[in-house]
Amino acid sequence: MITFSSLSLREELTQAISDLGFETPTPIQQKVIPQLLSDPIDIIGLAQTGTGKTAAYGLPLLHHVDIAVKHVQCLVLSPTRELCMQIQEEMSKYGANMRGLRITAVYGGMPIAAQIRELRSNPQVVVATPGRLIDLLERKAISLADVEYVVLDEADEMLNMGFREDIDLILKNTPAREHTWLFSATMSNEVRGIAKRFMKDWKEFSVATANTTNENIDHQYYVAQHSNRFETLRRLLDFTPGIYGIIFTRTRQDCQDISEKLMKQGYHVSPLHGDMDQKMRTKVMERFKSKQLQCIVATDVAARGIDVNDITHVINYELPDDPEVYTHRSGRTARAGKSGICMSIVSPKQISNVRQIERLVKQKFHKSDIPDGAEVVRKRLFFYMEQIALAQPKADFAKLYRDSIHEQFADVDKDELIRKLIWLQLKDTIDIYQDSEDLNAGYDNKEKGGSRGNRSARLFINLGEKDGLTTQKLLQFITESADINANVIERVTVRDLSSFFNVPGDMAEQVMEQLAAKKFKGRKVRLEEAEQSKGGSSSGGGGGDYRGGSRPKPSSGPRYSGDVRAYGKRAGAGSGGGGYKGKRK
Ligand code: AMP
């Protein structure tokens, strides 16, 4: 296997990569870097954001650049201001040990005078949006006369955004250009057109076909009536306390309305859409990147170029019309080798759209149940307990207040104290979910996984997230252990300690028998048939997490109303010590 050290990059780059913690080159890097180092011919790289494409061209660019020469040698064109900034940031990290290297980014939406001043510092590498670059060329603030390397990043996006003429003009103004590297997620005729006009015998490198399938994404969908969409969103957010995500809406108005409603209810979110000026958008991105925001609510256009690696969830408030847009949205998660979840809220009528997208992304979507109130409360209780277990109070904090704390609680029993603390944390949620309704829109018989004579059976299994399971891993375990095809397994719900799934009724016994004979990571597997509520839309036989003993009956009200009476501010969902804190770099 190719390693970074075997690539014979210049020492400063190898060192920087190692400092960044990159261990192995990503597939596109493995293909492109050796070629561009040994023979930097013209190339087309078909790769989406998140595949490591910036390093795939950035490292060879920096390898070839002559730091001693103080004029623009490398030009990277990119469609958006956000992407420009990210490329500059990323390449600056790679070039951190190259003394004298200057990388300048120029893009619209910011005062041009400051950028003109920056260009006077003689950068060797310029990253630009086409529009702003032309503006600078017209003002004679930049010369492309000595540019040898040109990279067209996200060429398809640039063309979609109407930059074709600008790109033509820029490329015509690079007389010394010897190497043109084009990167694009898709290979359209227009992209090929640019290659034909401006590139010599190029080689193509592709990490997958267009519409890359990212196996690390768990695609889930939740069926709710249109009128319950917002409630469903809220419930999914509450059920995912450590979320760090993007909620996609179709329109700017929805984007604004939904984020306002969520903010009013105490969620740490912000809108991001085209009606906001550049300054506001930058501010939102800064708050999101520094994790002051738990989610951003975005339109597709505004979300373009958001480059954040550790997004845990993408939520489609509504499915996009165009299945390809779905791929772009879901691709915001599960980046750089991580895994992620893409949740879509769909109305019963939109299930056919789900099927269409399934075909496009070549992955099965998992129908999941919208959790009921009790499950939300339980999930947040477990989350909170974990937060307490993981908390590392400052050493001097205890010292400073120890006496007062002891004095105050000297007579309070430990159990009582825990109850009180958890009450404070969970009280709001318990109030909210006291009489919460079932939001799952009814399934028709077909969706239940069987014809009239073969109703599906809901099975409980004693394995959950704590065992390292995800929906996909559970499906894999089931299909590898029992004679059943993943296509007939429905409504997989993975909980902390246990999970539920549906199989056609006539297969239930056999599946239970075959699985019960297996062990998972050394643990004995136990299965039971779960009760299904009327209408088949309950969230999984009570959704209880239990390791042993008898199966709890499905509950309708909050299960913790007696013991853990309530819980703290909802803001705890993402703020304060929110669960994603640990994931922070
Ligand atoms: P890109 O596709 O260029 O937007 O890269 C996505 C992210 O992956 C960037 O934040 C990079 O820092 C990161 N990355 C790129 N190459 C590697 C690698 N070989 N190993 C780990 N992370 C990487």
Side-chain angles (χ1 to χ4, degrees), residues 21 58 64 90 105 179 297 341 350-351 383 392 435 437 452 460 471-472 506 520 541 573:
H64 291 300
E90 192 80 6
H179 317 277
V297 186
I341 295 175
Q350 289 172 322
I351 291 176
F383 178 75
Q392 293 184 321
D435 298 307
E437 55 176 320
R452 219 173 299 169
F460 156 87
T471 308
Q472 265 160 323
D506 57 359
F520 186 81

Side-chain angles (χ1 to χ4, degrees), residues 1-7 23-26 29-31 33-34:
M1 200 196 359
I2 298 175
T3 60
F4 277 115
S5 45
S6 70
L7 283 176
E23 283 166 6
T24 34
T26 63
Q29 292 164 2
Q30 300 214 10
K31 289 185 176 176
I33 297 178

